[in-house]
Amino acid sequence: MADLEAAKINHDNHLLLDQPCLRLPYELLRKNFRSIHYPLEWDSTSVKNLLKETANGSLNGKTSPQDVVKNLDQMLVKMRGLKRKLTAAAEEEDRLYRQMDSRVAHLRELADLNTVDDVKYEAWSRQRLDRLLVDYMLRHGYDSSAIALADERGMRDLVDIDTFVVMSKIRQSLEGGSVQEALAWCNENKKELRKMQSNLEFMLRCQQYIEMMRTGSQTKMLEAIGHAKKHLTPFNETYPVEVSNMAGLLAYRPDTHLEPYASLYSASRWQKLAETFVEAHLKLLNLPMTPLLHIALSSGLSALKTPACHSTQAQVRSESQQDELQNGTTPTPTATASSSNHPHHRQHHHHHGTASLTTRVCPICSTELNALARNVRYAHHGKSRLLEHDLVLLPNGRVYGRARLDEYAAKSGLAAGQVKDLVTGEVVDVGELRKVFVT
């Protein structure tokens, strides 16, 4: 009964992870509508007014035939331009609807499955894993690898390549010392950023001011003052401290060590700007800040995490390095093994330099996942129906039911008073076994 319950698919929990898969096309549809809504109204109103003015002038004889023809040409140019905008918007809308259809069909496949033992679930979960990998690579700038994986798996409509590629280009431009692309993006999304109370545009304008001041040129400094009056002074009530610091920057050169001006001139501000842009971009599209792959991994890591995974790790590393120093060897900085009492890897722990063995056994203590698992909560198991009765602990840290050990010992032909580890084959005296109590 417990196995059947464990194998049953919880569709609601699955959909929690897959919400962004459906949300982003919807957000992009809204953005696409907003991008064409105002130009459509503006151009339509302009053409109607010009048509009305031309018709009235022609009837009253106030408009010459040459002016009528000229006005008609203007109206045709505007309508052709509007047609191009509407065509592009319609194509984008068709693409987004196609994405939504593919994603709904993908999630509908999950709705038709009931247990993880279904052979179709393995294929579906593999495709979802590929989606998570593409999402992770796109967020970290590995665009070509993400595109190659998406094309190989034939799932372009299930991932958001175009959106993240644009984000990656703007982020790289900021890291390279250019704010033009980011400012253009802010201008496109001005109203939404204002509703979010984002300070991205203000920070970009501040960086423009700083770069003008960095040159030390009298002409650039005068240009910087004009820039500050136009773009920074309007934010005086919202960011009074920052605006004051910008004003104070006039008295300091880039080689100053006085704070906060030294930090304002620091090259690390470009990286901070890039991170601020990524945060604003994801928030604007209602996407999580954390990669979906990390969210999926965290749930599994939580089920495996024990207090021993991190609580004694630093102490064991320090002791290991001290032993290596006493033996005349160089301490290993990558040793990440935790306490030898850790249930996941106690059987592999030796006293000298065997951290690599322990990290292979315990995923939480591995070099790759240790940092990710550090802030993950411990698993809370209200009930466990899968534990054997009369559990005992072997000296190597493995736990088995006593009946199973006795049965295996009898099959192995061991002497009375001895049992054998089912995995390692290690023979242990019964007197070395310790009773295990589960609370």
Side-chain angles (χ1 to χ4, degrees):
M1 183 67 180
D3 291 340
L4 291 176
E5 291 184 2
K8 187 177 180 180
I9 296 176
N10 189 323
H11 296 90
D12 292 340
N13 288 344
H14 276 70
L15 291 177
L16 287 175
L17 184 62
D18 292 315
Q19 280 184 14
C21 183
L22 286 177
R23 183 184 296 125
L24 186 57
Y26 172 73
E27 294 294 337
L28 293 177
L29 279 170
R30 291 178 57 192
K31 181 180 178 181
N32 185 59
F33 175 78
R34 290 195 303 266
S35 68
I36 196 60
H37 177 66
Y38 293 106
L40 176 61
E41 287 191 347
W42 178 267
D43 290 344
S44 298
T45 302
S46 176
V47 170
K48 289 178 182 178
N49 291 337
L50 184 57
L51 178 61
K52 183 178 180 181
E53 179 184 342
T54 303
N56 291 335
S58 179
L59 291 174
N60 297 333
K62 296 181 179 180
T63 304
S64 65
Q66 293 80 5
D67 290 337
V68 171
V69 173
K70 184 178 179 181
N71 290 343
L72 288 173
D73 289 340
Q74 290 181 6
M75 286 185 280
L76 287 173
V77 170
K78 288 185 178 182
M79 294 306 294
R80 289 193 185 103
L82 183 59
K83 180 181 179 181
R84 286 193 296 270
K85 294 177 183 178
L86 289 172
T87 301
E91 291 175 353
E92 176 68 6
E93 189 174 271
D94 290 341
R95 185 184 70 85
L96 292 172
Y97 277 126
R98 186 174 66 252
Q99 281 191 352
M100 293 187 71
D101 289 342
S102 298
R103 298 178 187 203
V104 169
H106 173 65
L107 296 178
R108 189 184 294 118
E109 292 178 8
L110 175 66
D112 295 335
L113 304 176
N114 296 316
T115 67
V116 297
D117 297 327
D118 194 318
V119 65
K120 294 182 180 179
Y121 179 76
E122 182 178 354
W124 186 91
S125 59
R126 167 58 63 179
Q127 189 174 42
R128 183 176 68 172
L129 176 59
D130 290 335
R131 286 198 297 106
L132 300 184
L133 290 173
V134 170
D135 173 83
Y136 180 86
M137 289 189 286
L138 288 172
R139 286 170 179 262
H140 290 79
Y142 305 116
D143 299 337
S144 57
S145 298
I147 293 172
L149 178 58
D151 289 341
E152 180 182 346
R153 297 291 191 266
M155 56 179 192
R156 275 267 188 161
D157 288 338
L158 298 180
V159 291
D160 309 300
I161 291 177
D162 295 339
T163 300
F164 280 100
V165 166
V166 171
M167 184 187 79
S168 180
K169 288 180 179 178
I170 299 177
R171 181 185 61 204
Q172 291 173 5
S173 69
L174 287 170
E175 293 172 344
S178 173
V179 300
Q180 300 305 321
E181 295 84 350
L183 283 174
W185 181 84
C186 288
N187 188 55
E188 292 176 4
N189 303 277
K190 187 184 295 284
K191 291 186 177 180
E192 290 72 26
L193 291 173
R194 190 181 297 117
K195 291 178 182 178
M196 290 165 42
Q197 298 182 341
S198 172
N199 66 342
L200 175 60
E201 184 178 359
F202 174 72
M203 292 182 64
L204 294 173
R205 295 299 185 183
C206 287
Q207 193 63 35
Q208 282 183 308
Y209 174 84
I210 292 169
E211 295 307 313
M212 294 177 191
M213 295 297 302
R214 193 190 302 277
T215 63
S217 167
Q218 188 70 22
T219 304
K220 282 292 184 181
M221 291 180 68
L222 292 174
E223 186 179 341
I225 294 173
H227 175 86
K229 290 179 179 179
K230 181 178 180 181
H231 297 292
L232 302 185
T233 304
F235 292 96
N236 191 38
E237 294 185 1
T238 310
Y239 307 108
V241 176
E242 290 79 359
V243 172
S244 177
N245 291 338
M246 291 297 116
L249 206 65
L250 287 167
Y252 296 93
R253 303 276 71 81
D255 57 353
T256 182
H257 298 289
L258 185 66
E259 293 294 347
Y261 308 108
S263 297
L264 293 176
Y265 278 120
S266 173
S268 62
R269 278 182 58 88
W270 288 107
Q271 183 62 37
K272 184 178 179 180
L273 281 173
E275 293 172 358
T276 303
F277 163 72
V278 170
E279 181 179 350
H281 186 275
L282 295 176
K283 187 176 181 180
L284 183 68
L285 297 175
N286 284 321
L287 294 176
M289 303 298 172
T290 305
L292 299 178
L293 181 62
H294 283 186
I295 297 175
L297 283 173
S298 297
S299 60
L301 293 175
S302 177
L304 298 173
K305 185 177 178 180
T306 68
C309 289
H310 290 100
S311 60
T312 57
Q313 183 175 355
Q315 177 183 354
V316 172
R317 186 188 300 115
S318 177
E319 293 175 355
S320 176
Q321 292 176 351
Q322 289 178 5
D323 292 343
E324 291 176 354
L325 286 172
Q326 292 175 1
N327 293 334
T329 59
T330 303
T332 305
T334 57
T336 58
S338 59
S339 171
S340 59
N341 293 325
H342 194 301
H344 295 163
H345 53 64
R346 180 176 172 184
Q347 66 273 21
H348 287 281
H349 182 76
H350 300 289
H351 190 60
H352 297 290
T354 57
S356 60
L357 292 177
T358 63
T359 57
R360 285 203 301 267
V361 177
C362 175
I364 310 300
C365 297
S366 66
T367 305
E368 295 81 7
L369 300 177
N370 186 261
L372 177 62
R374 183 171 296 278
N375 296 322
V376 172
R377 295 182 178 181
Y378 301 119
H380 174 70
H381 301 287
K383 295 181 180 180
S384 179
R385 302 179 182 179
L386 303 177
L387 291 177
E388 299 180 59
H389 295 290
D390 194 15
L391 294 174
V392 292
L393 175 70
L394 275 63
N396 61 14
R398 294 185 177 275
V399 177
Y400 300 100
R402 180 61 188 271
R404 191 149 65 106
L405 285 175
D406 291 338
E407 180 183 357
Y408 188 58
K411 290 181 179 180
S412 303
L414 297 180
Q418 290 184 328
V419 294
K420 190 175 183 180
D421 191 310
L422 280 67
V423 176
T424 65
E426 181 181 353
V427 177
V428 179
D429 292 333
V430 173
E432 299 182 61
L433 302 180
R434 296 175 60 187
K435 187 78 173 177
V436 174
F437 299 93
V438 180
T439 58

